[in-house]
Amino acid sequence: MVSKNQIKLITSLQQKKYRKEHKMFLAEGRKVIQELLQSNFELESLFATSAIFPEINPNKINLVTDAELKKISALATANDCLAVFKIPNQKEKSDSGLIVALDDIRDPGNLGTIIRLCDWFGIKDLICSEETVDIYNPKVVQATMGSIARVNVSYLNLENYIKETKLPVFGTFMDGKNIYKTELPKEGIIVMGNEANGISATIEKLAQNRLSIPRFGDLQQTESLNVATATSIILSEFKRNF
Amino acid sequence: MVSKNQIKLITSLQQKKYRKEHKMFLAEGRKVIQELLQSNFELESLFATSAIFPEINPNKINLVTDAELKKISALATANDCLAVFKIPNQKEKSDSGLIVALDDIRDPGNLGTIIRLCDWFGIKDLICSEETVDIYNPKVVQATMGSIARVNVSYLNLENYIKETKLPVFGTFMDGKNIYKTELPKEGIIVMGNEANGISATIEKLAQNRLSIPRFGDLQQTESLNVATATSIILSEFKRNF
């Protein structure tokens, strides 16, 4: 059963304002919840249509009907389970290795996919500008497929961060050096820009290393790659020789 | 103005069955419509909140209100224009060069992103199994950002196609050869599998060349890359030396 107050709290967590206020976020679907349970995230409450998580004391599972789950779900098609987790404190970011920094990524699906890519390529730290979509947005949590538990994400003033770093800073631009023909280091910050506007002018000035992904289509109209697919190509290039 | 009959026809085109019956599909947003207008697609009708396409005779634009556009739009947030185009006949596929083949891709966003990637990497032909999501699904058209006009997409029996081809066939599998250390040819068919199940058993038997994208994360849980990001890494590897 889900009480009226629970419904109110849970649906409020679809909004960033209330996630901040309550320090909680939503996760849906077995795969994502399972990964969060196995990591250090602290479970607040769990709703499921049957006792599907053997590692959880059945008394701790709120059994609900499909109709009840639909009421609290943030998804167009509800799964068979929904969990509320506590938002952990932001961990200290490291200042070494390969780091991805996002300059105002707005689409939740893109952020989720980039977190999944960071996890795949062993990137420990993801830096997000303050305007980047919230990592605890339900659509982001969903798109990470659980990788959210393994990548350390920090929100901060990107300009100050890049001004202070000692690592080389890389960005992709139309006039950059062919990434396939550039020797890439083991350490550095890779900045990925906003979906519509690319890397902002302030950050562009600070990115000393201008790269480009060559285009092979013979027509001029193909303007850009989606930011998540561009990130995958860039990470693959940085990692392929190590 | 939009008549009741027009609303009925246009909204019916959100379904594959009616797209097939009327041989028409929907495109929304300036960028996508512009690209289709500039290519060989035949315009059936155009609805817009103002005369935004200078190349189109203003008499041919149906001026509509925001509310009317919302009624006919397939998107959650309507744009300022919507067009109906004729579905062209399937073109003859070529049998040379690099070809991407999709084994039951179900997500419209993934198919759209893969079409955009093919365009970027100069892949002329995309082969889709009959179970792959319809290229004229409004969400696919949207995600291609206009690339749909420049990639030749054929739906066919994938098993027969692969049995008959003389080109080498490549697939990615957990136990495949490290793609970063494999010499890749200029010509071949790259098969990408379904989001949940990967490449089907029948097609796996026919893929002589087993590749894998190495994983760099140090934890075992990261199971897979999204199919569109995997495609971008694979195409980048096939193209980077040419």
Side-chain angles (χ1 to χ4, degrees):
Chain A
M1 240 210 68
V2 200
S3 71
K4 273 198 177 164
N5 276 338
Q6 283 174 318
I7 296 177
K8 206 179 147 192
L9 169 69
I10 294 167
T11 52
S12 83
L13 298 178
Q14 295 184 23
Q15 290 175 59
K16 188 176 172 182
K17 178 180 150 190
Y18 295 107
R19 288 195 294 273
K20 236 176 148 173
E21 184 181 318
H22 298 296
K23 296 197 171 169
M24 295 176 197
F25 71 99
L26 299 176
E28 299 194 54
R30 294 187 197 197
K31 163 96 179 127
V32 177
I33 294 175
Q34 198 88 52
E35 297 257 12
L36 291 168
L37 286 174
Q38 281 163 8
S39 71
N40 290 324
F41 283 84
E42 198 178 325
L43 183 67
E44 182 71 30
S45 53
L46 179 59
F47 302 84
T49 53
S50 61
I52 46 179
F53 295 99
E55 65 269 62
I56 297 286
N57 183 331
N59 296 332
K60 287 207 162 179
I61 302 181
N62 297 287
L63 288 178
V64 292
T65 63
D66 289 334
E68 284 173 322
L69 198 68
K70 208 179 158 183
K71 264 191 203 161
I72 54 174
S73 172
L75 304 174
T77 1
N79 265 290
D80 56 1
C81 49
L82 177 149
V84 178
F85 285 95
K86 291 202 175 127
I87 291 182
N89 294 326
Q90 200 165 294
K91 276 186 233 155
E92 197 59 40
K93 60 189 191 308
S94 80
D95 281 312
S96 60
L98 211 52
I99 292 169
V100 173
L102 304 181
D103 188 10
D104 299 1
I105 294 297
R106 297 295 165 88
D107 182 81
N110 284 339
L111 178 57
T113 307
I114 291 172
I115 293 171
R116 202 169 157 195
L117 280 168
C118 286
D119 187 22
W120 181 272
F121 283 107
I123 307 293
K124 303 260 184 310
D125 278 276
L126 177 67
I127 305 293
C128 295
S129 67
E130 281 152 346
E131 297 304 308
T132 293
V133 56
D134 182 29
I135 183 188
Y136 295 113
N137 174 311
K139 286 182 192 160
V140 176
V141 176
Q142 194 65 24
T144 65
M145 297 294 282
S147 292
I148 198 171
R150 290 182 297 276
V151 178
N152 183 25
V153 182
S154 309
Y155 283 77
L156 42 74
N157 181 308
L158 191 59
E159 190 184 345
N160 291 345
Y161 172 75
I162 290 185
K163 273 184 182 160
E164 286 161 17
T165 187
K166 291 194 177 76
L167 294 171
V169 179
F170 295 84
T172 35
F173 304 95
M174 297 298 263
D175 65 352
K177 272 173 73 181
N178 182 337
I179 193 168
Y180 299 136
K181 294 182 173 163
T182 307
E183 209 172 307
L184 302 167
K186 263 191 175 175
E187 289 201 310
I189 295 167
I190 301 165
V191 183
M192 299 303 300
N194 168 272
E195 289 89 345
N197 309 314
I199 294 177
S200 58
T202 349
I203 303 294
E204 181 171 352
K205 277 186 208 145
L206 303 167
Q208 318 97 327
N209 303 283
R210 299 172 73 87
L211 298 172
S212 76
I213 303 173
R215 185 167 64 189
F216 294 86
D218 48 10
L219 285 158
Q220 295 255 317
Q221 290 100 320
T222 323
E223 282 165 25
S224 67
L225 287 165
N226 160 286
V227 64
T229 53
T231 305
S232 69
I233 294 166
I234 295 169
L235 289 179
S236 178
E237 283 300 314
F238 268 88
K239 285 289 189 174
R240 71 191 298 286
N241 294 323
F242 295 115
Chain B
M1 241 209 68
V2 200
S3 71
K4 273 199 177 164
N5 276 338
Q6 282 173 320
I7 296 177
K8 204 179 148 191
L9 169 69
I10 294 168
T11 52
S12 82
L13 299 178
Q14 295 183 24
Q15 289 176 59
K16 187 176 174 183
K17 179 180 150 191
Y18 295 107
R19 289 195 294 273
K20 236 177 149 172
E21 185 180 320
H22 298 294
K23 295 199 171 165
M24 294 176 200
F25 72 99
L26 298 176
E28 299 194 54
R30 294 189 196 197
K31 164 96 178 127
V32 177
I33 294 176
Q34 198 88 53
E35 297 257 11
L36 292 168
L37 286 174
Q38 281 163 8
S39 72
N40 292 323
F41 283 84
E42 198 179 327
L43 183 67
E44 181 71 29
S45 53
L46 179 59
F47 302 84
T49 54
S50 60
I52 46 178
F53 294 98
E55 66 270 61
I56 296 286
N57 183 330
N59 297 331
K60 284 206 164 178
I61 302 181
N62 297 288
L63 288 178
V64 292
T65 63
D66 289 335
E68 285 174 321
L69 199 67
K70 208 178 158 185
K71 263 190 203 161
I72 53 174
S73 172
L75 304 173
T77 3
N79 266 289
D80 56 1
C81 49
L82 178 150
V84 178
F85 285 94
K86 291 203 173 123
I87 292 182
N89 293 326
Q90 199 164 295
K91 277 186 234 154
E92 197 59 38
K93 60 186 192 308
S94 80
D95 281 313
S96 61
L98 211 52
I99 292 167
V100 173
L102 304 181
D103 188 11
D104 299 2
I105 294 296
R106 296 296 164 89
D107 180 81
N110 284 340
L111 178 56
T113 306
I114 291 171
I115 293 171
R116 203 170 157 193
L117 280 168
C118 285
D119 188 22
W120 180 273
F121 283 108
I123 307 294
K124 303 262 183 310
D125 278 275
L126 178 67
I127 305 293
C128 295
S129 67
E130 281 151 345
E131 297 303 309
T132 293
V133 55
D134 181 28
I135 182 188
Y136 295 113
N137 175 311
K139 285 182 192 161
V140 176
V141 175
Q142 195 64 25
T144 66
M145 297 294 281
S147 291
I148 197 171
R150 290 183 298 277
V151 178
N152 183 24
V153 182
S154 311
Y155 284 77
L156 41 73
N157 181 308
L158 191 59
E159 189 184 345
N160 291 346
Y161 172 75
I162 290 185
K163 273 185 181 160
E164 285 161 18
T165 187
K166 290 193 176 78
L167 293 171
V169 179
F170 294 84
T172 35
F173 303 95
M174 299 297 263
D175 65 352
K177 270 173 75 181
N178 183 338
I179 190 168
Y180 299 136
K181 296 184 173 162
T182 307
E183 209 173 309
L184 302 166
K186 266 191 172 172
E187 291 201 309
I189 295 166
I190 301 165
V191 183
M192 300 302 301
N194 170 273
E195 289 89 344
N197 309 315
I199 294 176
S200 58
T202 350
I203 303 295
E204 181 171 354
K205 274 185 211 149
L206 303 168
Q208 318 96 328
N209 303 282
R210 299 172 74 88
L211 298 172
S212 76
I213 302 173
R215 187 166 62 189
F216 294 86
D218 48 11
L219 285 158
Q220 296 255 317
Q221 290 99 319
T222 323
E223 281 166 26
S224 69
L225 287 167
N226 159 285
V227 64
T229 53
T231 305
S232 69
I233 294 166
I234 295 169
L235 288 179
S236 178
E237 282 301 313
F238 268 88
K239 285 288 189 173
R240 71 190 299 288
N241 294 324
F242 295 114

